[in-house]
Coordinates of all heavy atoms in Angstrom, one line a residue:
M1 N -13.1 1.0 5.3 CA -13.5 2.3 4.7 C -14.4 2.1 3.5 O -14.1 1.2 2.7 CB -12.1 2.9 4.3 CG -12.3 4.2 3.7 SD -10.6 4.9 3.2 CE -10.6 6.3 4.4
K2 N -15.4 2.9 3.4 CA -16.3 2.8 2.3 C -15.8 3.2 1.0 O -14.8 4.0 1.0 CB -17.7 3.4 2.6 CG -17.6 4.9 2.6 CD -19.0 5.5 2.8 CE -18.9 7.0 2.6 NZ -20.0 7.5 1.9
R3 N -16.3 2.8 -0.1 CA -15.8 3.1 -1.4 C -16.0 4.6 -1.7 O -17.1 5.2 -1.4 CB -16.6 2.3 -2.4 CG -16.1 2.5 -3.9 CD -15.5 1.3 -4.4 NE -15.1 1.5 -5.8 CZ -13.9 1.4 -6.1 NH1 -12.9 1.1 -5.3 NH2 -13.5 1.6 -7.4
L4 N -15.0 5.3 -2.2 CA -15.1 6.7 -2.5 C -15.9 6.9 -3.8 O -15.8 6.1 -4.7 CB -13.7 7.1 -2.8 CG -13.4 8.6 -2.8 CD1 -13.7 9.3 -1.4 CD2 -11.9 8.9 -3.1
T5 N -16.7 7.9 -3.8 CA -17.5 8.3 -5.0 C -17.0 9.6 -5.6 O -16.2 10.3 -4.8 CB -19.0 8.4 -4.7 OG1 -19.2 9.4 -3.7 CG2 -19.6 7.1 -4.2
Q6 N -17.4 10.0 -6.8 CA -17.0 11.2 -7.3 C -17.5 12.4 -6.5 O -16.8 13.4 -6.4 CB -17.4 11.3 -8.8 CG -16.6 10.5 -9.7 CD -17.0 10.8 -11.1 OE1 -18.0 10.2 -11.6 NE2 -16.3 11.7 -11.8
Q7 N -18.7 12.3 -5.9 CA -19.1 13.4 -5.1 C -18.3 13.6 -3.8 O -18.2 14.8 -3.2 CB -20.6 13.2 -4.6 CG -21.6 13.3 -5.8 CD -21.7 12.0 -6.6 OE1 -21.2 11.0 -6.2 NE2 -22.3 12.1 -7.8
D8 N -17.6 12.6 -3.3 CA -16.8 12.6 -2.1 C -15.4 13.2 -2.4 O -14.7 13.5 -1.5 CB -16.7 11.2 -1.5 CG -18.0 10.7 -1.0 OD1 -18.9 11.5 -0.8 OD2 -18.1 9.4 -1.0
M9 N -15.0 13.3 -3.6 CA -13.7 13.7 -4.1 C -13.6 15.2 -3.9 O -14.5 16.0 -4.1 CB -13.4 13.3 -5.5 CG -13.2 11.9 -5.7 SD -12.8 11.6 -7.4 CE -13.0 9.9 -7.6
T10 N -12.3 15.7 -3.7 CA -12.1 17.1 -3.7 C -12.1 17.6 -5.2 O -12.1 16.8 -6.1 CB -10.8 17.5 -3.1 OG1 -9.7 16.8 -3.8 CG2 -10.8 17.0 -1.6
E11 N -12.1 18.9 -5.4 CA -12.1 19.4 -6.8 C -10.8 19.0 -7.5 O -10.9 18.6 -8.7 CB -12.2 21.0 -6.8 CG -13.6 21.5 -6.3 CD -13.7 22.9 -6.4 OE1 -12.9 23.6 -7.2 OE2 -14.4 23.5 -5.6
S12 N -9.7 19.0 -6.9 CA -8.4 18.7 -7.5 C -8.4 17.2 -8.0 O -8.0 16.8 -9.0 CB -7.3 19.0 -6.7 OG -7.4 18.2 -5.4
E13 N -9.1 16.3 -7.1 CA -9.1 14.9 -7.4 C -10.1 14.7 -8.6 O -9.8 13.9 -9.4 CB -9.6 14.1 -6.2 CG -8.6 14.1 -5.1 CD -9.2 13.5 -3.8 OE1 -10.4 13.5 -3.6 OE2 -8.4 13.3 -2.8
Q14 N -11.2 15.4 -8.6 CA -12.1 15.3 -9.7 C -11.4 15.7 -11.0 O -11.6 15.1 -12.1 CB -13.4 16.1 -9.5 CG -14.3 15.5 -8.4 CD -15.4 16.4 -8.1 OE1 -15.6 17.5 -8.6 NE2 -16.3 15.9 -7.2
R15 N -10.7 16.8 -11.0 CA -9.9 17.3 -12.2 C -8.9 16.3 -12.6 O -8.8 16.0 -13.8 CB -9.3 18.6 -11.9 CG -10.1 19.9 -12.2 CD -9.4 21.1 -11.9 NE -9.3 21.1 -10.5 CZ -8.6 21.9 -9.7 NH1 -7.8 22.6 -10.3 NH2 -8.7 21.9 -8.4
E16 N -8.3 15.6 -11.7 CA -7.3 14.6 -12.1 C -8.0 13.5 -12.8 O -7.5 12.9 -13.7 CB -6.5 14.1 -10.8 CG -5.6 13.0 -11.1 CD -4.4 13.3 -12.0 OE1 -4.1 14.5 -12.2 OE2 -3.9 12.3 -12.6
L17 N -9.1 13.1 -12.2 CA -9.9 12.0 -12.9 C -10.3 12.4 -14.3 O -10.1 11.5 -15.2 CB -11.2 11.7 -12.0 CG -12.1 10.6 -12.6 CD1 -11.4 9.3 -12.7 CD2 -13.4 10.5 -11.7
K18 N -10.8 13.6 -14.5 CA -11.2 14.0 -15.9 C -9.9 14.0 -16.7 O -10.0 13.7 -18.0 CB -11.9 15.3 -15.8 CG -13.2 15.3 -15.2 CD -13.9 16.6 -15.2 CE -15.3 16.5 -14.6 NZ -16.1 17.8 -14.5
T19 N -8.8 14.4 -16.2 CA -7.6 14.5 -17.0 C -7.2 13.0 -17.4 O -6.8 12.8 -18.6 CB -6.4 15.1 -16.2 OG1 -6.8 16.4 -15.8 CG2 -5.1 15.1 -17.0
R20 N -7.3 12.1 -16.5 CA -7.0 10.7 -16.8 C -7.9 10.2 -17.9 O -7.5 9.4 -18.8 CB -7.0 9.8 -15.6 CG -5.8 10.1 -14.7 CD -5.9 9.1 -13.5 NE -4.7 9.4 -12.7 CZ -4.2 8.4 -12.0 NH1 -4.6 7.2 -12.0 NH2 -3.2 8.7 -11.1
L21 N -9.2 10.5 -17.8 CA -10.2 10.0 -18.8 C -9.8 10.6 -20.2 O -9.9 9.9 -21.2 CB -11.6 10.4 -18.3 CG -12.1 9.6 -17.2 CD1 -13.5 10.2 -16.7 CD2 -12.4 8.2 -17.6
D22 N -9.5 11.9 -20.1 CA -9.1 12.5 -21.5 C -7.8 11.9 -22.1 O -7.8 11.7 -23.3 CB -8.9 14.0 -21.2 CG -10.2 14.8 -21.0 OD1 -11.3 14.2 -21.4 OD2 -10.1 15.9 -20.5
R23 N -6.9 11.5 -21.2 CA -5.7 10.9 -21.7 C -6.0 9.6 -22.3 O -5.4 9.2 -23.3 CB -4.6 10.8 -20.6 CG -3.9 12.0 -20.2 CD -2.8 11.7 -19.3 NE -2.5 12.9 -18.4 CZ -2.2 12.8 -17.1 NH1 -2.3 11.7 -16.4 NH2 -2.0 13.9 -16.5
A24 N -6.8 8.8 -21.6 CA -7.2 7.5 -22.1 C -8.0 7.6 -23.4 O -7.8 6.8 -24.4 CB -8.1 6.8 -21.0
R25 N -8.9 8.6 -23.5 CA -9.6 8.9 -24.8 C -8.6 9.2 -25.9 O -8.7 8.6 -27.0 CB -10.6 10.0 -24.6 CG -11.4 10.2 -25.8 CD -12.5 11.3 -25.6 NE -12.0 12.5 -24.9 CZ -11.3 13.5 -25.6 NH1 -11.0 13.3 -26.9 NH2 -10.9 14.6 -25.0
K26 N -7.7 10.1 -25.7 CA -6.7 10.4 -26.7 C -5.8 9.2 -27.1 O -5.4 9.1 -28.3 CB -5.9 11.6 -26.2 CG -6.6 12.9 -26.2 CD -5.6 14.1 -25.8 CE -6.4 15.4 -25.9 NZ -5.5 16.5 -25.5
A27 N -5.5 8.4 -26.1 CA -4.6 7.3 -26.4 C -5.4 6.3 -27.3 O -4.8 5.6 -28.1 CB -4.3 6.5 -25.1
Q28 N -6.7 6.2 -27.2 CA -7.5 5.3 -28.0 C -7.8 5.8 -29.3 O -8.1 5.2 -30.3 CB -8.8 4.9 -27.3 CG -8.7 4.0 -26.0 CD -8.2 2.6 -26.3 OE1 -8.6 2.1 -27.4 NE2 -7.5 2.0 -25.5
G29 N -7.8 7.2 -29.4 CA -8.1 7.9 -30.6 C -9.6 7.9 -30.9 O -10.0 8.2 -32.0
R30 N -10.5 7.6 -29.9 CA -11.9 7.6 -30.1 C -12.6 7.8 -28.7 O -11.9 7.8 -27.7 CB -12.4 6.3 -30.7 CG -12.0 5.1 -29.8 CD -12.5 3.7 -30.3 NE -11.9 2.7 -29.6 CZ -12.2 2.3 -28.4 NH1 -13.1 2.9 -27.7 NH2 -11.7 1.2 -27.8
E31 N -13.9 7.9 -28.7 CA -14.5 8.0 -27.4 C -14.4 6.7 -26.7 O -14.4 5.6 -27.4 CB -16.1 8.4 -27.6 CG -16.3 9.8 -28.1 CD -15.8 10.8 -27.1 OE1 -16.0 10.6 -25.9 OE2 -15.2 11.8 -27.4
L32 N -14.3 6.7 -25.4 CA -14.3 5.5 -24.6 C -15.6 4.8 -24.4 O -16.6 5.5 -24.4 CB -13.6 5.8 -23.2 CG -12.2 6.3 -23.2 CD1 -11.9 6.6 -21.8 CD2 -11.3 5.4 -23.8
T33 N -15.7 3.6 -24.3 CA -16.9 2.8 -24.0 C -17.2 2.9 -22.5 O -16.3 3.4 -21.7 CB -16.8 1.3 -24.4 OG1 -15.8 0.8 -23.5 CG2 -16.5 1.1 -25.8
N34 N -18.4 2.6 -22.1 CA -18.7 2.7 -20.6 C -17.7 1.8 -19.8 O -17.3 2.2 -18.8 CB -20.1 2.2 -20.3 CG -21.1 3.3 -20.9 OD1 -20.8 4.4 -21.0 ND2 -22.4 2.9 -21.1
S35 N -17.3 0.6 -20.4 CA -16.5 -0.3 -19.7 C -15.1 0.4 -19.4 O -14.6 0.3 -18.4 CB -16.4 -1.6 -20.5 OG -15.4 -2.3 -19.9
E36 N -14.6 1.0 -20.5 CA -13.3 1.6 -20.5 C -13.3 2.8 -19.5 O -12.4 3.0 -18.7 CB -12.8 2.0 -21.8 CG -12.5 0.9 -22.7 CD -12.4 1.3 -24.2 OE1 -12.9 2.4 -24.6 OE2 -11.8 0.5 -24.9
N37 N -14.4 3.6 -19.5 CA -14.6 4.8 -18.6 C -14.6 4.2 -17.2 O -13.9 4.8 -16.3 CB -15.9 5.4 -18.9 CG -15.8 6.7 -19.7 OD1 -14.7 7.3 -19.7 ND2 -16.8 7.1 -20.3
N38 N -15.4 3.2 -16.9 CA -15.5 2.7 -15.5 C -14.2 2.1 -15.0 O -13.9 2.3 -13.9 CB -16.7 1.7 -15.5 CG -18.0 2.3 -15.6 OD1 -18.2 3.5 -15.4 ND2 -19.0 1.5 -16.1
R39 N -13.5 1.4 -15.9 CA -12.2 0.8 -15.5 C -11.2 1.9 -15.1 O -10.6 1.8 -14.1 CB -11.6 0.0 -16.6 CG -10.4 -0.8 -16.2 CD -9.8 -1.8 -17.2 NE -10.6 -2.1 -18.4 CZ -10.4 -1.7 -19.6 NH1 -9.3 -1.0 -19.8 NH2 -11.2 -2.1 -20.6
T40 N -11.2 3.0 -15.9 CA -10.3 4.1 -15.6 C -10.6 4.7 -14.3 O -9.8 5.0 -13.4 CB -10.3 5.1 -16.8 OG1 -10.0 4.5 -18.0 CG2 -9.3 6.2 -16.5
K41 N -11.9 5.0 -14.1 CA -12.4 5.6 -12.9 C -12.1 4.7 -11.7 O -11.6 5.2 -10.6 CB -13.9 5.8 -12.9 CG -14.3 7.0 -13.8 CD -15.8 7.1 -13.7 CE -16.3 8.2 -14.7 NZ -17.8 8.3 -14.7
D42 N -12.4 3.4 -11.8 CA -12.1 2.5 -10.7 C -10.6 2.3 -10.3 O -10.3 2.4 -9.2 CB -12.6 1.1 -11.0 CG -14.2 1.0 -11.0 OD1 -14.8 1.9 -10.4 OD2 -14.7 0.0 -11.5
E43 N -9.8 2.4 -11.3 CA -8.3 2.3 -11.0 C -7.9 3.6 -10.3 O -7.2 3.5 -9.3 CB -7.5 2.3 -12.3 CG -7.6 0.9 -13.0 CD -7.0 0.9 -14.4 OE1 -6.5 2.0 -14.9 OE2 -7.0 -0.1 -15.0
Y44 N -8.4 4.8 -10.7 CA -8.0 6.0 -10.0 C -8.6 6.0 -8.6 O -7.9 6.4 -7.6 CB -8.5 7.3 -10.8 CG -8.2 8.5 -10.1 CD1 -6.8 8.9 -9.9 CD2 -9.1 9.4 -9.7 CE1 -6.5 10.1 -9.3 CE2 -8.8 10.6 -9.1 CZ -7.5 11.0 -8.9 OH -7.2 12.2 -8.3
I45 N -9.8 5.6 -8.4 CA -10.5 5.6 -7.1 C -9.7 4.6 -6.1 O -9.5 4.9 -5.0 CB -12.0 5.3 -7.2 CG1 -12.7 6.5 -7.8 CG2 -12.5 4.9 -5.9 CD1 -14.2 6.2 -8.1
D46 N -9.3 3.5 -6.7 CA -8.5 2.5 -5.9 C -7.2 3.1 -5.4 O -6.8 2.9 -4.3 CB -8.2 1.3 -6.7 CG -9.5 0.4 -6.9 OD1 -10.5 0.6 -6.1 OD2 -9.5 -0.5 -7.8
E47 N -6.6 3.9 -6.3 CA -5.3 4.6 -5.9 C -5.6 5.6 -4.8 O -4.8 5.7 -3.8 CB -4.7 5.3 -7.1 CG -4.1 4.4 -8.1 CD -3.5 5.1 -9.3 OE1 -3.3 6.4 -9.3 OE2 -3.4 4.5 -10.4
L48 N -6.6 6.4 -4.9 CA -6.9 7.4 -3.9 C -7.3 6.8 -2.6 O -6.8 7.2 -1.6 CB -8.2 8.2 -4.4 CG -7.9 9.4 -5.3 CD1 -9.2 10.0 -5.7 CD2 -7.0 10.4 -4.8
M49 N -8.1 5.7 -2.6 CA -8.4 5.0 -1.4 C -7.2 4.4 -0.7 O -7.1 4.5 0.5 CB -9.5 3.9 -1.6 CG -10.8 4.5 -2.0 SD -12.1 3.3 -2.3 CE -12.2 2.4 -0.8
A50 N -6.3 3.8 -1.5 CA -5.0 3.3 -0.9 C -4.2 4.4 -0.2 O -3.7 4.2 0.9 CB -4.3 2.6 -2.0
E51 N -4.1 5.5 -0.9 CA -3.4 6.6 -0.3 C -4.1 7.2 1.0 O -3.4 7.4 2.0 CB -3.3 7.8 -1.2 CG -2.4 7.6 -2.5 CD -2.5 8.8 -3.4 OE1 -2.9 9.9 -3.0 OE2 -2.1 8.6 -4.6
K52 N -5.4 7.3 0.9 CA -6.1 7.8 2.1 C -6.1 6.8 3.3 O -5.9 7.1 4.4 CB -7.6 8.1 1.8 CG -7.7 9.3 0.9 CD -9.0 9.7 0.7 CE -9.1 11.0 -0.2 NZ -10.3 11.7 -0.1
E53 N -6.1 5.5 3.0 CA -6.0 4.5 4.0 C -4.6 4.5 4.6 O -4.5 4.3 5.9 CB -6.3 3.1 3.5 CG -6.3 2.0 4.4 CD -7.3 2.2 5.6 OE1 -8.4 2.7 5.3 OE2 -6.9 1.7 6.7
K54 N -3.6 4.7 3.8 CA -2.2 4.8 4.4 C -2.1 5.9 5.3 O -1.5 5.8 6.5 CB -1.2 4.9 3.2 CG 0.2 4.6 3.6 CD 1.1 4.8 2.4 CE 0.8 3.7 1.4 NZ 1.8 3.7 0.2
I55 N -2.7 7.1 4.9 CA -2.6 8.3 5.8 C -3.4 8.0 7.1 O -3.0 8.3 8.2 CB -3.2 9.5 5.0 CG1 -2.2 9.9 4.0 CG2 -3.3 10.6 6.0 CD1 -2.7 10.9 3.0
A56 N -4.6 7.4 7.0 CA -5.4 7.1 8.1 C -4.7 6.1 9.1 O -4.8 6.3 10.3 CB -6.7 6.6 7.7
S57 N -4.1 5.1 8.5 CA -3.4 4.1 9.4 C -2.3 4.8 10.2 O -2.0 4.4 11.3 CB -3.0 2.9 8.6 OG -2.0 3.3 7.7
K58 N -1.5 5.7 9.5 CA -0.4 6.4 10.2 C -1.0 7.3 11.3 O -0.4 7.3 12.4 CB 0.3 7.2 9.2 CG 1.3 6.5 8.4 CD 2.0 7.5 7.4 CE 3.0 6.7 6.5 NZ 3.7 7.6 5.6
A59 N -2.2 7.9 11.1 CA -2.8 8.7 12.1 C -3.2 7.9 13.3 O -3.1 8.3 14.4 CB -3.9 9.5 11.5
R60 N -3.9 6.7 13.0 CA -4.3 5.9 14.1 C -3.1 5.3 14.8 O -3.2 5.3 16.1 CB -5.1 4.7 13.4 CG -6.5 5.0 13.0 CD -7.3 3.8 12.7 NE -6.7 2.9 11.7 CZ -6.9 3.0 10.4 NH1 -7.8 3.9 10.0 NH2 -6.4 2.2 9.5
A61 N -2.0 5.0 14.2 CA -0.8 4.5 14.9 C -0.2 5.6 15.8 O 0.2 5.4 16.9 CB 0.2 4.0 13.9
E62 N -0.2 6.8 15.3 CA 0.3 7.9 16.0 C -0.5 8.2 17.3 O 0.0 8.5 18.4 CB 0.4 9.2 15.2 CG 1.0 10.3 15.8 CD 2.4 10.2 16.3 OE1 3.2 9.5 15.6 OE2 2.8 10.8 17.4
K63 N -1.9 8.1 17.1 CA -2.8 8.3 18.2 C -2.6 7.2 19.3 O -2.6 7.5 20.5 CB -4.2 8.3 17.6 CG -5.3 8.6 18.7 CD -6.6 8.7 18.1 CE -7.7 9.0 19.1 NZ -9.0 9.0 18.4
R64 N -2.4 6.0 18.8 CA -2.2 4.9 19.8 C -0.9 5.1 20.5 O -0.8 4.9 21.7 CB -2.0 3.5 19.1 CG -3.4 2.9 18.8 CD -3.2 1.4 18.4 NE -2.4 1.2 17.3 CZ -2.7 1.2 16.0 NH1 -4.1 1.3 15.7 NH2 -1.9 1.0 15.0
R65 N 0.2 5.6 19.8 CA 1.5 5.8 20.5 C 1.3 7.0 21.5 O 1.9 6.9 22.6 CB 2.5 6.2 19.4 CG 3.5 5.0 19.1 CD 4.6 5.5 18.2 NE 4.4 4.9 17.0 CZ 4.1 5.5 15.8 NH1 4.0 6.7 15.7 NH2 3.9 4.7 14.7
A66 N 0.6 8.0 21.1 CA 0.5 9.1 22.0 C -0.4 8.7 23.2 O -0.1 9.1 24.4 CB -0.2 10.3 21.3
K67 N -1.3 7.9 23.1 CA -2.2 7.3 24.2 C -1.3 6.5 25.1 O -1.4 6.5 26.3 CB -3.3 6.6 23.7 CG -4.3 6.3 24.8 CD -5.5 5.5 24.1 CE -6.5 5.2 25.2 NZ -7.7 4.5 24.7
A68 N -0.5 5.7 24.6 CA 0.3 4.8 25.3 C 1.5 5.6 26.1 O 1.8 5.2 27.3 CB 1.0 3.8 24.4
N69 N 1.9 6.6 25.6 CA 3.0 7.4 26.2 C 2.4 8.5 27.1 O 3.3 9.2 27.7 CB 3.9 8.0 25.2 CG 4.7 7.0 24.4 OD1 4.8 5.9 24.9 ND2 5.1 7.3 23.2
A70 N 1.1 8.6 27.2 CA 0.6 9.7 28.0 C 0.9 9.4 29.5 O 0.7 8.3 30.0 CB -1.0 9.8 27.8
T71 N 1.3 10.5 30.2 CA 1.5 10.3 31.6 C 0.2 10.6 32.4 O -0.5 11.5 32.1 CB 2.6 11.3 32.1 OG1 2.2 12.6 31.7 CG2 3.9 11.0 31.4
P72 N 0.0 9.9 33.4 CA -1.2 10.1 34.2 C -1.1 11.4 35.0 O -0.1 11.9 35.3 CB -1.3 8.9 35.2 CG 0.1 8.4 35.2 CD 0.7 8.7 33.9
S73 N -2.3 12.0 35.3 CA -2.3 13.3 36.0 C -1.7 13.0 37.4 O -2.1 12.1 38.1 CB -3.7 13.8 36.1 OG -3.7 14.9 36.9
T74 N -0.8 13.9 37.9 CA -0.3 13.7 39.2 C -1.2 14.3 40.3 O -1.1 14.1 41.4 CB 1.1 14.5 39.3 OG1 0.9 15.8 38.9 CG2 2.2 13.8 38.4
S75 N -2.1 15.2 39.8 CA -3.0 15.8 40.8 C -4.2 14.9 41.2 O -4.8 15.0 42.3 CB -3.6 17.1 40.3 OG -4.4 16.8 39.1
A76 N -4.5 13.9 40.4 CA -5.6 12.9 40.7 C -5.0 11.9 41.7 O -3.9 11.3 41.5 CB -6.0 12.3 39.4
T77 N -5.9 11.6 42.6 CA -5.5 10.6 43.6 C -6.0 9.3 43.3 O -5.5 8.3 43.7 CB -6.0 11.0 45.0 OG1 -7.4 11.1 44.9 CG2 -5.4 12.3 45.5
Y78 N -7.1 9.2 42.5 CA -7.7 8.0 42.2 C -8.3 8.1 40.8 O -9.1 9.0 40.6 CB -8.7 7.5 43.2 CG -9.2 6.1 43.0 CD1 -8.4 5.0 43.3 CD2 -10.5 5.9 42.5 CE1 -8.9 3.7 43.1 CE2 -10.9 4.6 42.3 CZ -10.1 3.5 42.6 OH -10.6 2.2 42.3
D79 N -8.2 7.1 39.9 CA -8.8 7.2 38.6 C -9.9 6.2 38.6 O -9.7 5.0 38.5 CB -7.7 6.8 37.5 CG -8.2 7.0 36.2 OD1 -9.3 7.6 36.0 OD2 -7.5 6.5 35.2
W80 N -11.2 6.8 38.6 CA -12.3 5.9 38.6 C -12.5 5.2 37.3 O -13.0 4.1 37.3 CB -13.6 6.8 38.9 CG -13.7 7.3 40.3 CD1 -13.3 8.5 40.8 CD2 -14.1 6.5 41.4 NE1 -13.4 8.6 42.1 CE2 -14.0 7.4 42.5 CE3 -14.6 5.2 41.6 CZ2 -14.3 6.9 43.8 CZ3 -14.9 4.9 42.9 CH2 -14.8 5.7 43.9
T81 N -12.1 5.8 36.2 CA -12.4 5.1 34.9 C -11.6 3.9 34.8 O -11.9 3.0 34.0 CB -12.1 6.0 33.8 OG1 -10.8 6.5 33.9 CG2 -13.1 7.3 33.8
A82 N -10.4 3.7 35.4 CA -9.6 2.6 35.4 C -10.3 1.4 36.0 O -9.9 0.3 35.7 CB -8.3 2.9 35.9
R83 N -11.2 1.6 36.9 CA -11.8 0.6 37.7 C -13.2 0.2 37.2 O -13.7 -0.8 37.7 CB -11.8 1.0 39.2 CG -10.5 1.2 39.9 CD -9.8 0.1 40.2 NE -10.5 -0.7 41.2 CZ -10.2 -1.9 41.5 NH1 -9.2 -2.5 41.0 NH2 -10.8 -2.6 42.5
T84 N -13.8 1.0 36.4 CA -15.2 0.7 35.9 C -15.1 0.3 34.5 O -14.5 0.8 33.7 CB -16.0 1.9 36.1 OG1 -15.5 3.0 35.4 CG2 -16.2 2.4 37.5
H85 N -15.9 -0.7 34.2 CA -16.1 -1.2 32.8 C -16.9 -0.3 32.0 O -18.0 0.3 32.6 CB -16.7 -2.6 32.8 CG -16.5 -3.3 31.6 ND1 -17.4 -3.2 30.5 CD2 -15.6 -4.2 31.1 CE1 -17.0 -4.0 29.5 NE2 -15.9 -4.6 29.8
P86 N -16.6 0.0 30.7 CA -17.4 1.0 30.0 C -18.9 0.6 29.8 O -19.7 1.4 29.7 CB -16.7 1.1 28.7 CG -15.8 0.0 28.6 CD -15.5 -0.4 30.0
R87 N -19.2 -0.7 29.8 CA -20.5 -1.2 29.6 C -21.3 -1.5 31.0 O -22.3 -2.2 31.0 CB -20.7 -2.4 28.7 CG -20.2 -2.0 27.3 CD -20.5 -3.1 26.3 NE -19.9 -4.3 26.7 CZ -19.8 -5.4 25.9 NH1 -20.3 -5.3 24.7 NH2 -19.3 -6.5 26.3
G88 N -20.6 -1.1 32.1 CA -21.2 -1.4 33.3 C -20.9 -2.8 33.8 O -20.2 -3.6 33.2
R89 N -21.3 -3.0 35.1 CA -21.1 -4.4 35.7 C -21.8 -5.5 35.0 O -22.9 -5.3 34.4 CB -21.5 -4.4 37.1 CG -20.6 -3.5 38.0 CD -21.0 -3.6 39.4 NE -20.8 -4.9 39.9 CZ -20.1 -5.3 40.9 NH1 -19.4 -4.4 41.6 NH2 -20.0 -6.6 41.3
R90 N -21.3 -6.6 35.1 CA -22.0 -7.8 34.3 C -22.6 -8.7 35.3 O -22.1 -9.0 36.4 CB -20.9 -8.6 33.6 CG -20.3 -7.7 32.5 CD -20.6 -8.2 31.2 NE -20.1 -7.2 30.2 CZ -20.0 -7.5 29.0 NH1 -20.3 -8.7 28.6 NH2 -19.7 -6.6 28.1

């Protein structure tokens, strides 16, 4: 999964990021340096990416389970796709 950017975030995620930056600024009692800003942003983006990856992996696992448990069609007499390789004969 590629790195999440601020443009890719939803509005609520962007607001949460700004809130975290404001909290960090108030905790320091001064404006944050670029390094401190970037560190705070990176920590939040890492958390978001971990959450999204967890959700995506659950969805992939569910899709695999559904595919494995799928029953073949009883009306079909022969399944051509089961006998042909997707990239053709070698």
Side-chain angles (χ1 to χ4, degrees):
M1 181 178 248
K2 70 175 189 139
R3 183 116 177 116
L4 194 64
T5 62
Q6 282 186 278
Q7 289 83 15
D8 298 335
M9 292 182 195
T10 62
E11 288 182 30
S12 62
E13 292 169 346
Q14 289 177 358
R15 270 182 285 166
E16 175 64 23
L17 177 61
K18 289 181 182 182
T19 303
R20 286 184 181 213
L21 288 170
D22 287 341
R23 282 189 207 138
R25 183 179 47 78
K26 284 183 181 180
Q28 292 289 331
R30 58 174 171 76
E31 290 297 318
L32 298 176
T33 63
N34 285 341
S35 172
E36 292 167 337
N37 260 337
N38 291 338
R39 186 176 346 112
T40 304
K41 286 180 185 179
D42 287 343
E43 288 171 358
Y44 181 62
I45 288 173
D46 290 341
E47 289 176 20
L48 278 178
M49 288 180 60
E51 288 176 21
K52 290 185 180 203
E53 181 59 35
K54 193 179 294 184
I55 292 169
S57 67
K58 283 183 183 178
R60 285 191 302 267
E62 182 62 33
K63 188 175 178 182
R64 274 194 306 268
R65 258 187 249 113
K67 187 176 179 181
N69 293 337
T71 56
S73 173
T74 56
S75 64
T77 56
Y78 187 76
D79 187 11
W80 287 98
T81 58
R83 301 283 295 166
T84 57
H85 195 275
R87 294 191 305 192
R89 291 184 60 121
R90 302 242 170 169

